[in-house]
Amino acid sequence: MTNANPVKVAMIGVGKISGIYLKNITTVFKEVELIGVCDLIPERAEKGVQTVKEYIEAGAKAPVPKIYKDMYEAFNDPEVEVVLNLTRPYEHYGVTKAALEHGKHVFSEKPLAADMEEGTELMALAKEKNLLMGGAPDTFMGAGIQTARKVIDDGLIGDVIGATCAMIQHGPETWHPDPDFLYKRGGGPMMDMGPYYVTALVQLIGEAVGVTAVTKKSFKERLITSEPHYGEKIDVEADTYLTGNITFANGAIAQVFTTFDVYYPSQNYARFEIYGTKGTMIVPDPNTFGGPVLLMRPEDVAATHSDPGLRTGNLPAYAGYKEIPLLFDYNVNSRALGLSDMCKALRTGRDFRANCQQQYHVLEILTSFEKSSREGKFIPLTTHYTRTAPMKNNPMHGILDD
Ligand SMILES: NC(=O)c1ccc[n+]([C@@H]2O[C@H](COP(=O)([O-])OP(=O)(O)OC[C@H]3O[C@@H](n4cnc5c(N)ncnc54)[C@H](O)[C@@H]3O)[C@@H](O)[C@H]2O)c1
């Protein structure tokens, strides 16, 4: 009886990212029920409810969420079991802390908090209250990264030697309606986009042990070209060009580069390669749930060198790689998959994948980039990490494994 008793969720923050959560909670994930929404800007909460009503009119089986006047009304609603925190990164701590203090389990957008002090306090509070806490990203649970993980776990590239990944773009002020927060405390490309890459790295390679990096801001101000703040300027607080190396417990080294300062074709901004003793794998954009996963083994390298057809003309960057079919479910934008998995854990008592131990380890890695640059030294990590379970293919889409 998997969906007889869905977990009741309240959404705090109905901004830009809320649309995909509203869609997936209402139409895809059958074990989660959105019973209320809340935003500092009441029209956003109203718009969220309207969106859910449209899915219901189109056939979705879901309640119409109520609107809470503020987050405390949601936290005091005895029906609410889980708080879904979709506020801005510098607000995560305050919202998550208050929700935990009111006895609610929390699933938060990334990152866990804006810095390690806040993260450490939240970890202690969740433990003390014996509440579940987890959060984004959940893209690593999608078909793409799960297939990449299986390629590694099945030994197809041998032992992992290292990785390189880059997220190169010229910043979100061209499309985000309120891009300010992306340059403030808790923002910047490493805290905003880094979670996708670093979470995928620890899922693929395992526990990290340290970070060395150099970081800077190339521009003191950014000009907003999206509506409704077109023409306004943002004072940049967070570093926006960060490059460094993460060392892992198994000896692997990952080069990581994230920036909001560089012009780059949008379809190319994610680069992610894993090198093993027996081959190389191209990992899909970790901000997506899909593929492609590409594999090159020594015999493929030999083929590229000997086949003149592969050497002439404009070689596509990944000529010579073989595409691995995706072996798991959830290959489109399935945000709320991690929430649904946590809700399943709440009902069954099993572990869940996008848990706070992972978020906390990732937060320490992310924040160590600026710290290493400032202090001019290698930063050994203090947090520990054990990979969460791989996904299982439940035949019922929208229902997680028991
Ligand atoms: N925008 C994206 O494409 C995107 C993608 C993935 C993840 N995220 C993550 O989602 C989170 C939100 O990002 P966003 O782009 O939706 O931001 P946003 O600014 O569009 O929305 C945040 C909303 O939270 C509301 N809010 C803040 N504090 C509140 C409180 N105490 N009570 C009620 N409402 C409150 C704000 O009024 C705002 O409407 C961030 O952590 C971000 O990293 C965003």
Side-chain angles (χ1 to χ4, degrees), residues 71-79 102 104:
M71 65 176 183
Y72 294 103
E73 197 180 32
F75 302 159
N76 286 318
D77 181 346
E79 267 203 296
H102 283 78
K104 306 298 184 190

Side-chain angles (χ1 to χ4, degrees), residues 11-21 37-42 44-45 68-72 75 85-92 94-95 108-111 136 175-179 181-182 186 191-193 195-196 287 335:
M11 177 186 285
I12 310 299
V14 194
K16 181 80 180 148
I17 198 57
S18 65
I20 190 67
Y21 280 90
V37 296
C38 165
D39 198 288
L40 298 174
I41 302 171
R44 293 191 176 174
Y68 298 108
K69 71 174 187 323
D70 61 28
M71 65 176 183
Y72 294 103
F75 302 159
N85 181 357
L86 302 186
T87 62
R88 292 158 287 219
Y90 60 84
E91 296 161 327
H92 288 176
V95 174
S108 164
E109 251 304 332
K110 44 80 185 162
W175 61 269
H176 197 290
D178 295 300
F181 76 85
L182 292 153
M191 294 289 271
D192 181 51
M193 296 295 280
Y196 299 110
N287 186 16
R335 280 185 172 75

Side-chain angles (χ1 to χ4, degrees), residues 140-142 146 328 330 337 353 389-393 400-401:
F140 74 91
M141 295 167 66
Q146 288 293 314
F328 294 85
Y330 305 108
L337 176 57
R353 295 164 174 96
M391 289 292 282
K392 286 185 190 155
N393 281 317
L400 273 290
D401 53 292

